Amino acid sequence: MTALSLALLMALASQPSMRPCEGERLALIPFDTVAVARAEARRTEEAVRRAVARTENTCLEPRQRTVEGLRAQGNPLSPCLNAACRTAQVKHFGAQWLVRGRVLGLGGARSVALVLVGPDGQEHRSAFTLPEEEAGTEQAATQAFASLWEGRLPAQPQGVVVETRRRRSAWPKVMLGAGAAALVAGVGFGLAARATENRLSEGTGGCTGEGEALRSCFADGLRKGKQQSRLANGLMGAGAVLGAGGALLFVWELP
């Protein structure tokens, strides 16, 4: 009996504390990533999680419990187009507030987009740029979430509908415009490369003279055609990436 009692006490001691929550309960969904390594996104998520956990009068759900709820709901979290759907998601995780995030690595900089979903299904958004030094990530996350948490709207009486207008970021339009410009330039270089190829395959490619001078001129034409082809491929690839990133951000910002 002594050994059994000791084993039971050790098992109970290893369980997390079940103290009742004395504040508002939040659940933080594992972050999505765009052009960022999963391990780096996880470190950023943990920094934000620590910042949320330190917020006064709040109780953050353990990550494992949130992951289990996510698997039960369907992984990944399905997008919602209305407040009723978002309210149901918040209740599914047994929380009053839901925190979603996405780590972005586009444009040569790393940033984090945060979304705070309230019990009424309304969304509050914020974003911050990650510092170059990883040691400053937690401080940046603390400041960003504190601003987001303090700026949330107070709870409204039941039956009252509050319409909020969310200012859209200019990044989706900028990225889509840059992507379109890159695609157009890529097409232009592709046509130029094709024209150079046709001139060289059908004759001397505009070269005159003979001997070494003709061969040198012809080699320069080939080199120019290859450069045009590489530029066309690079620009079209960049245009596709920028266009996809802009479309993704546009969908992310949908209400």
Side-chain angles (χ1 to χ4, degrees):
M1 291 294 293
T2 303
L4 180 60
S5 301
L6 181 60
L8 180 59
L9 288 174
M10 293 178 63
L12 291 175
S14 65
Q15 297 297 319
S17 175
M18 298 302 291
R19 292 181 302 172
C21 176
E22 298 178 355
E24 298 185 72
R25 191 177 297 278
L26 296 92
L28 191 150
I29 305 299
F31 283 2
D32 295 331
T33 64
V34 176
V36 173
R38 176 63 63 179
E40 183 179 355
R42 176 63 185 275
R43 290 194 298 269
T44 304
E45 176 195 329
E46 290 300 327
V48 175
R49 180 173 286 276
R50 290 191 294 271
V52 174
R54 286 199 303 267
T55 305
E56 294 183 358
N57 300 320
T58 63
C59 302
L60 181 62
E61 290 288 300
R63 190 179 194 275
Q64 181 60 36
R65 186 179 302 173
T66 302
V67 170
E68 292 173 356
L70 188 62
R71 290 171 179 167
Q73 192 271 346
N75 193 3
L77 193 67
S78 57
C80 283
L81 300 180
N82 55 67
C85 173
R86 292 189 289 268
T87 298
Q89 285 184 343
V90 175
K91 291 181 178 178
H92 170 79
F93 289 95
Q96 295 167 277
W97 299 86
L98 204 63
V99 182
R100 293 186 284 113
R102 175 164 293 167
V103 186
L104 306 168
L106 301 172
R110 297 174 303 150
S111 60
V112 179
L114 294 176
V115 181
L116 179 67
V117 185
D120 56 358
Q122 298 299 324
E123 290 183 326
H124 315 280
R125 295 175 179 263
S126 178
F128 66 97
T129 301
L130 292 172
E132 294 183 2
E133 297 294 333
E134 188 174 342
T137 299
E138 190 167 339
Q139 181 179 357
T142 299
Q143 294 175 351
F145 184 76
S147 175
L148 183 62
W149 183 248
E150 292 170 1
R152 71 191 189 284
L153 295 176
Q156 299 296 322
Q158 191 172 12
V160 176
V161 179
V162 178
E163 293 291 337
T164 60
R165 298 187 65 182
R166 188 174 69 249
R167 185 172 57 185
R168 291 186 179 277
S169 167
W171 278 108
K173 293 182 179 179
V174 172
M175 293 180 67
L176 287 171
L183 286 173
V184 171
V187 171
F189 277 105
L191 292 175
R194 177 61 61 85
T196 301
E197 180 185 356
N198 290 338
R199 287 198 306 271
L200 293 174
S201 63
E202 294 176 357
T204 62
C207 295
T208 58
E210 58 184 24
E212 185 62 28
L214 178 62
R215 287 193 295 271
S216 177
C217 177
F218 198 80
D220 289 340
L222 286 175
R223 191 178 306 110
K224 180 180 178 181
K226 290 179 179 179
Q227 291 176 346
Q228 291 171 335
S229 179
R230 284 195 294 268
L231 282 172
N233 292 335
L235 286 169
M236 293 184 71
V241 171
L242 288 170
L248 189 62
L249 288 177
F250 181 81
V251 173
W252 172 259
E253 291 190 351
L254 286 175

